[in-house]
Amino acid sequence: GDEECVCPRGIALDCSGDVYVADEWGKRVQKFDATGSFRRQWQWQLSGPGRFIHAEGIAASRSGDVYVADSYGHQIHRFNNRGTIIDAWGSEGSGEGQFDYSESVAVDDSGNVYVLDFNDRRIQKFSKEGRFISAWGKPGQLYNPAGIAVRDDKLYVPDSGDVGDGSGGIHVFSTEGQLLKWIELAPYGYPSDIAIDAAGNLYVPYSRYLEDEGVMKLDPNGAYLLRWGELGDGPGEFNGIRGIAVDVQGLVFVADAG
């Protein structure tokens, strides 16, 4: 029902402070105001554009468009902020504009769209209408990428490391694909997403199955500042932490899939 979720994965904020939640197994997007009051929803369609199978990643642009990454459908869907479908692009494969598990999506200030193509271990860049621009990354550079965020012409991609061994960190690319920096996350090396606040601080949720869950905060240079949260089902505890977003006031919104 309204205000209920089955498996909330992605979370995004628009310029008005409204909150969009991609409910993966619920096959829908829900929109709330910043206090959590339900605004509207849009659901899985039977066919055509807007037919997302697993809504996983989500992003909102400055112009008010909402992009949903359909991981199992290997597509990106673009909606307006009332849930009306505008267009969709992508298909299963490894060519330009194709995806093999389109996990996460981010939008820069110019409206360019960046998609984390998980199984192909790469980032693809598109215009806001879905025109392919470029791609970068490969196995051996991206191991287990999880989440994507863009700010000030830099793209941040957390990665849990080879075979998810906890040797994780954050790849920092230019928006043209040049690797600028690697930020180590040890001992919290199991990131699941990333968000950036107005001051450039980084917020990274991490999850070690049945062991530890929480959020770490880093300064703009990647230096550790603090962490919070623990495994559990109570307020402020996490059990399957996934998506994260930060508003202009510095409030942190976390999607807890479990």
Side-chain angles (χ1 to χ4, degrees):
D2 297 346
E3 301 184 47
E4 297 178 338
C5 292
V6 182
C7 185
R9 292 291 297 257
I11 189 165
L13 306 174
D14 67 15
C15 293
S16 300
D18 288 330
V19 183
Y20 300 84
V21 178
D23 185 357
E24 181 183 16
W25 292 103
K27 301 182 186 298
R28 63 177 176 169
V29 172
Q30 293 194 72
K31 180 179 180 179
F32 303 88
D33 68 16
T35 68
S37 296
F38 177 80
R39 300 286 297 275
R40 68 179 69 250
Q41 66 164 327
W42 54 94
Q43 293 181 297
W44 178 62
Q45 302 298 310
L46 293 177
S47 63
R51 183 188 181 276
F52 48 79
I53 301 172
H54 281 185
E56 188 159 347
I58 192 165
S61 72
R62 285 184 175 271
S63 63
D65 292 340
V66 178
Y67 294 84
V68 177
D70 179 2
S71 55
Y72 286 8
H74 314 290
Q75 282 191 314
I76 301 297
H77 302 263
R78 179 165 65 123
F79 300 86
N80 66 19
N81 59 13
R82 297 182 62 84
T84 301
I85 185 68
I86 300 172
D87 52 29
W89 70 86
S91 60
E92 186 173 7
S94 299
E96 295 180 354
Q98 294 184 315
F99 308 109
D100 187 357
Y101 201 89
S102 44
E103 180 180 87
S104 302
V105 60
V107 187
D108 67 20
D109 290 342
S110 299
N112 297 307
V113 180
Y114 303 84
V115 180
L116 174 56
D117 184 4
F118 179 81
N119 284 331
D120 286 325
R121 303 295 193 269
R122 63 179 178 173
I123 307 298
Q124 294 195 65
K125 180 179 180 179
F126 301 88
S127 71
K128 68 178 183 179
E129 298 88 3
R131 177 180 58 83
F132 176 82
I133 297 174
S134 61
W136 63 88
K138 57 185 178 180
Q141 182 182 48
L142 297 175
Y143 286 97
N144 287 286
I148 188 171
V150 59
R151 180 180 174 83
D152 297 332
D153 297 322
K154 295 184 178 67
L155 200 69
Y156 298 79
V157 182
D159 192 326
S160 61
D162 190 7
V163 198
D165 61 1
S167 60
I170 301 169
H171 304 274
V172 184
F173 297 97
S174 73
T175 52
E176 304 305 318
Q178 179 185 2
L179 181 62
L180 304 176
K181 189 175 183 179
W182 167 257
I183 300 171
E184 291 189 5
L185 292 178
Y188 307 109
Y190 297 82
S192 56
D193 199 6
I194 188 168
I196 308 171
D197 68 17
N201 297 305
L202 310 177
Y203 297 79
V204 182
Y206 64 92
S207 175
R208 286 181 285 189
Y209 183 62
L210 297 181
E211 292 184 23
D212 186 23
E213 304 212 14
V215 176
M216 68 186 104
K217 180 180 179 180
L218 312 175
D219 74 12
N221 295 315
Y224 175 88
L225 295 176
L226 59 92
R227 66 165 296 278
W228 70 86
E230 59 183 296
L231 184 66
D233 295 321
E237 299 175 339
F238 306 110
N239 183 20
I241 191 169
R242 289 297 183 267
I244 192 166
V246 186
D247 71 9
V248 294
Q249 300 177 9
L251 296 176
V252 184
F253 297 76
V254 182
D256 185 353

